[in-house]
Amino acid sequence: MRSKRSRVLAMAVAATLAAGNVLAAGVEFKDPTGDDKGPGNYTYPTDAVYKPGSFDLTRLSVTKSGANVDFAVDVNSNLEDPWGMGTGFAVQMVFIFIKNGPGGHTGTPPGVNAQFAQGHEWNKLVVLSPQRKARVVGEATTKTGAMAKDIVVPNITRGSGRTIRGSVPLAELGGDGNVDAWGYQVVMQSNEGFPAGNDFLTRKVNEYEGQHRWGGGNDGDCDPHVMDVLDGPDAKQADMLAYECGPDGTSVKRATLKMIKK
Amino acid sequence: MKTHPPIQALCLAVGLALAGPAFAVQIDFSGSNIYMKFLDGSHRLVSGGSIDTASGSDQGQFTELELRITAKLSRQVEAGARVQSRSSGAYWSEFGFANNEGFGGINQDTTTNPQISYNPNPLASKYMKLRGAYISLTPGYSWLDQALLGSSDWGMFDPFTVGKMRYIDRDNINGVYFRGPLGLAGSSYELAWISLAEYLGPNFSTGNLRKNDGTVIGQFKVPLAGVRLTASLQQTADRERVAADTNLFDGQDTFTRFRNQVRSLRAEGSPLDGLDLRGAAYYSSYYVNETVQTWSNLLGDDYNDTAYLLTADWSQTPLPGFGITLQYFDIGAGYVSAPGARRESDVLLTEGSEAAWFGWGDPKYIGGLANDMQQVPVTIRDNDFADFDEPGAESAIGWKGYTALLKSEVANTPISFEATRLDYNQNWQNWGGKQTVFNVIDWAGATGPGFKEDTDRKTDIFVVKVSHVFPVAGGLDTSAKWKRVADEDTADATTAADDRETTDNGYSVSVGNQLFADLYGSVSYGRYTRAISLGPSDFDNDKGIFSLRFAYNLTGLEFGTLAQWINGDGDPQQTGTEMSLDQYRLKAFAKVIF
């Protein structure tokens, strides 16, 4: 009797789950799989919590929903919460840079070690982090200087399946409200609760990977601490993340990102 | 003017020292913090040791300081350490000098023995301890990427082999670690010797000769035709002196007290976009010298066993937004890895037993735990020194079965459904003829490996979770969960008197909101029933848990609190008489990171 009831329940839930996903209209960008290697040779940290594909950006979806804008970022691995953040994900942190007006910032928050090309400046940055909003905002206020006023953090960010999502008021993003026409760039980073120095909750890339550090870069801050970005027809990841370091670890050529538009 | 050559030389030496090395040493203290914990509850109990739920406290406050130091001395050398006050038993009420801060003191009453010190409790002293000290070398050799000496949580290895464990700290275990490339592109080797903690052997001991006991492990990763292969081989050995050999002039002979070997092979691949397959096989062999060790918390006699995991994760099915994960697992009752993961890892897909019933029967846990259970591949789980808001660990030793986890999303509403059927490799009568091996740790309680003389047990687990963020009031974060765990054990097949059925049903709903910029709050309510049938007797338990959480952040400060009110009726100690259940408990913490 018990097992029959269980089977009926299981079938009912499965039917509900299989009912499918209702996709709202909005702008969507796909990114190739297997390019979670930064400029081309970055390697994952060695701790088992960094699952293969978990920093491999595969999709950005931006949807205007009433007075809010919903952001959803997919990665190429099921999300897990090994650090008990309570948000459905733990190791990832996503920066969504938005170009929706004239001018803007060419620099990036400390710890990213990249810049934006002229004409591709960002006006707003949406941060999807497993940390509490107040922690992210506090770090932004302390560490990002003039950028802080343009950094927007959703009240609630959640991960489920392979998707990290957050929603912010359209009014906080400014612009003309036409999200389909805006330019976007996504930077896949890793949530670091104890960031080094002035870094904005970011995980470092070193020459050799460590238990909680990426490898394949430079021990200085001349290399982009970026695992994956949004690829576009005229903006290839390898070109954007190309960099050059001096012998003392200072930057000779910064990684230079571009906005992607539909 | 009179000169003093020795003073000049000293000044020169000091000056040179202050001038520092020619290269720029980068010293980073970021992550250092002050942590304060606050407990309150209706039990009105304090423990003699640490201030936490598992130790029996629901009252008191304490403060700890942690200094984190990382020094980058050159491109090739980095070192780091934590210096931490270990004062988890130093109550604020002790006022900074009570009982000489726990170091003990001399009894001032000269009518009794003046030499006897009183109350020397290290946990009550705010002394600083060295933690997490390491040296990391990246010499740049073609064959060596990194060498690590000292402390780590060893998370670079598989939890079934060498795993994370926490006994207050996560990095108490020290060792030596080397990693470098192998010939094939993307392949690597890892070699380590890891010191064996002195409680990780039989009888919670590693004998008299123990300072050099350890685990040697080699782990090799090779990508092959799109498949990531990882193989490892390890041996943990506990050697002892031969008592009769006391001649130091030609050295002392040794013999083996216990030895544990583990071999593993794992494979991961993605044959299709959105379809990941993972498989792992483990083989353990265990030897214990019964002539010197007649009781063991590991196994009582020599034994070899296996563990298998197969997982298929299909995230991009033809139905948009619908994914399914299937896992098969079979972990032998005699699978042993002495340094395997405890508490800090969750090795199975299933959510496992209902955390709200953790520790049922113990008044400390009327409300169980407020976090989900984790399954660990060892018999001893280390649930000590933990609070009720932390996840608990249960032993998955002997578990075999399968889990199906279905996930979908309807109208921005993630839904998941888990179905798990658990069988047990401990299902035997009269110990399966292996009493000497397994008649060791039946005392381990509900989260233990469940070694008993007669067992015929199976468990079904069903979990449904739904969450949705409503776009009102800046986002209403809602979630609901229903869970059923049905466990039955007919135990001795010759009698029905020991047949046991335990059925847990429960649901919870939660609503959270970013109340204002610095404060997140949530409220939740859960209702849980546990019906136990033991032979001719029934024991019904029913409780509700109302929870209030707050997370408050200012720049550099984290403050969190969880308060719970538990009400119900039941017979937790199975006396045949129902009683009222009533408990209030609160944990709060403040952490300043600088």
Side-chain angles (χ1 to χ4, degrees), chain A:
Chain A
M1 182 65 187
R2 196 186 81 190
S3 62
K4 186 180 176 187
R5 215 168 46 223
S6 300
R7 276 202 300 274
V8 170
L9 175 70
M11 289 168 64
V13 174
T16 305
L17 293 173
N21 188 27
V22 180
L23 274 180
V27 63
E28 184 175 283
F29 302 87
K30 293 283 178 78
D31 189 68
T33 58
D35 61 346
D36 49 343
K37 300 178 175 69
N41 62 330
Y42 282 5
T43 50
Y44 274 43
T46 57
D47 195 284
V49 299
Y50 305 94
K51 306 284 185 196
S54 54
F55 295 88
D56 190 0
L57 169 70
T58 59
R59 184 181 73 105
L60 166 69
S61 163
V62 183
T63 310
K64 196 160 98 176
S65 175
N68 294 324
V69 181
D70 301 334
F71 294 89
V73 169
D74 286 8
V75 295
N76 194 23
S77 173
N78 274 349
L79 298 169
E80 296 179 357
D81 185 9
W83 297 332
M85 306 297 293
T87 55
F89 71 111
V91 300
Q92 295 89 352
M93 180 168 65
V94 186
F95 292 142
I96 304 170
F97 295 93
I98 300 170
K99 175 76 171 167
N100 61 359
H105 306 275
T106 55
T108 55
V112 175
N113 299 345
Q115 63 184 5
F116 277 80
Q118 292 294 326
H120 291 260
E121 302 86 353
W122 59 273
N123 303 108
K124 295 290 174 182
L125 165 58
V126 176
V127 180
L128 303 182
S129 165
Q131 300 280 349
R132 295 271 178 212
K133 173 180 179 171
R135 169 96 198 264
V136 181
V137 171
E139 291 270 334
T141 305
T142 311
K143 296 178 173 177
T144 66
M147 298 177 201
K149 65 180 174 48
D150 292 318
I151 293 176
V152 182
V153 183
N155 278 346
I156 297 161
T157 302
R158 290 287 179 269
S160 175
R162 297 187 171 204
T163 305
I164 300 168
R165 51 167 51 89
S167 184
V168 300
L170 179 61
E172 290 188 24
L173 296 178
D176 58 4
N178 183 11
V179 300
D180 294 3
W182 293 352
Y184 299 92
Q185 183 52 267
V186 179
V187 162
M188 287 302 301
Q189 239 288 344
S190 178
N191 164 43
E192 170 60 274
F194 297 95
N198 202 40
D199 290 354
F200 178 44
L201 296 169
T202 54
R203 189 171 304 287
K204 280 193 173 300
V205 178
N206 280 359
E207 183 176 359
Y208 296 102
E209 67 269 30
Q211 193 181 347
H212 294 284
R213 291 181 193 170
W214 304 84
N218 189 288
D219 290 352
D221 280 329
C222 52
D223 52 340
H225 293 178
V226 176
M227 308 321 123
D228 199 353
V229 295
L230 203 55
D231 227 27
D234 303 316
K236 294 298 176 195
Q237 179 172 325
D239 298 332
M240 288 190 283
L241 294 183
Y243 69 97
E244 194 178 336
C245 294
D248 58 351
T250 55
S251 177
V252 175
K253 177 192 175 303
R254 274 264 183 241
T256 305
L257 304 173
K258 292 181 176 177
M259 291 291 173
I260 312 295
K261 294 175 80 167
K262 274 290 181 187

Side-chain angles (χ1 to χ4, degrees), chain B residues 59-378:
Chain B
Q59 309 276 297
Q61 316 82 30
F62 71 86
T63 302
E64 288 187 335
L65 166 69
E66 179 182 32
L67 294 174
R68 293 183 173 220
I69 307 163
T70 305
K72 185 82 178 171
L73 294 113
S74 70
R75 181 177 159 274
Q76 297 167 307
V77 181
E78 179 186 303
R82 297 183 296 119
V83 180
Q84 186 160 22
S85 68
R86 270 286 159 236
S87 45
S88 59
Y91 291 87
W92 280 8
S93 61
E94 290 166 3
F95 204 49
F97 60 78
N99 302 324
N100 194 20
E101 293 236 292
F103 286 103
I106 303 300
N107 193 335
Q108 300 302 309
D109 180 359
T110 53
T111 60
T112 59
N113 187 340
Q115 301 307 312
I116 294 176
S117 63
Y118 59 89
N119 197 23
N121 178 7
L123 287 174
S125 59
K126 302 186 186 80
Y127 60 168
M128 303 296 289
K129 294 200 79 173
L130 177 64
R131 288 286 189 266
Y134 71 90
I135 298 171
S136 174
L137 308 176
T138 50
Y141 305 145
S142 60
W143 51 273
L144 181 66
D145 287 345
Q146 187 198 14
L148 180 83
L149 316 175
S151 180
S152 169
D153 68 5
W154 308 100
M156 59 287 266
F157 295 108
D158 184 313
F160 276 81
T161 60
V162 169
K164 296 181 183 181
M165 56 184 79
R166 174 161 66 114
Y167 222 71
I168 302 180
D169 290 299
R170 293 180 166 85
D171 50 6
N172 277 341
I173 294 185
N174 289 268
V176 182
Y177 168 81
F178 302 93
R179 178 172 48 79
L182 291 172
L184 200 62
S187 61
S188 65
Y189 74 85
E190 290 164 283
L191 300 173
W193 173 83
I194 298 160
S195 180
L196 184 62
E198 294 179 0
Y199 73 103
L200 286 185
N203 199 22
F204 296 109
S205 164
T206 52
N208 294 320
L209 178 64
R210 52 182 183 263
K211 303 304 182 190
N212 272 3
D213 291 338
T215 299
V216 176
I217 181 169
Q219 179 170 272
F220 308 92
K221 296 178 180 174
V222 179
L224 206 60
V227 179
R228 295 183 295 274
L229 290 172
T230 303
S232 73
L233 176 64
Q234 75 187 62
Q235 173 165 293
T236 303
D238 175 9
R239 304 286 296 174
E240 295 299 315
R241 278 184 289 268
V242 174
D245 185 359
T246 56
N247 181 5
L248 296 182
F249 290 99
D250 66 352
Q252 297 183 92
D253 290 336
T254 61
F255 66 95
T256 299
R257 180 172 175 269
F258 95 92
R259 181 176 59 241
N260 175 208
Q261 291 181 339
V262 177
R263 301 168 213 169
S264 79
L265 179 63
R266 286 175 287 146
E268 300 178 332
S270 304
L272 299 171
D273 263 358
L275 174 63
D276 299 333
L277 301 178
R278 297 186 291 279
Y282 308 87
Y283 175 82
S284 76
S285 64
Y286 178 77
Y287 161 81
V288 60
N289 189 329
E290 300 105 277
T291 59
V292 295
Q293 188 55 63
T294 55
W295 184 86
S296 172
N297 48 293
L298 294 169
L299 291 176
D301 205 346
D302 306 351
Y303 202 70
N304 303 332
D305 215 331
T306 55
Y308 301 99
L309 288 177
L310 287 173
T311 307
D313 183 359
W314 194 17
S315 61
Q316 293 177 19
T317 62
L319 293 170
F322 176 76
I324 180 168
T325 306
L326 302 172
Q327 184 174 70
Y328 166 79
F329 47 90
D330 184 347
I331 303 168
Y335 179 79
V336 175
S337 180
R342 298 168 179 225
R343 183 155 82 166
E344 291 294 285
S345 292
D346 188 5
V347 299
L348 295 182
L349 181 63
T350 180
E351 204 178 83
S353 61
E354 171 56 68
W357 294 108
F358 176 90
W360 187 238
D362 182 342
K364 284 186 296 195
Y365 294 109
I366 295 173
L369 297 177
N371 227 318
D372 290 338
M373 300 297 291
Q374 299 178 333
Q375 292 74 49
V376 293
V378 291

Side-chain angles (χ1 to χ4, degrees), chain B residues 455-489:
Chain B
T455 305
D456 186 6
R457 182 183 176 199
K458 65 179 179 181
T459 308
D460 292 325
I461 300 170
F462 301 100
V463 188
V464 179
K465 293 185 198 174
V466 183
S467 63
H468 186 80
V469 178
F470 290 95
V472 294
L476 269 187
D477 186 14
T478 64
S479 63
K481 175 179 171 181
W482 172 83
K483 183 170 181 176
R484 175 185 173 86
V485 180
D487 181 273
E488 59 183 49
D489 181 5

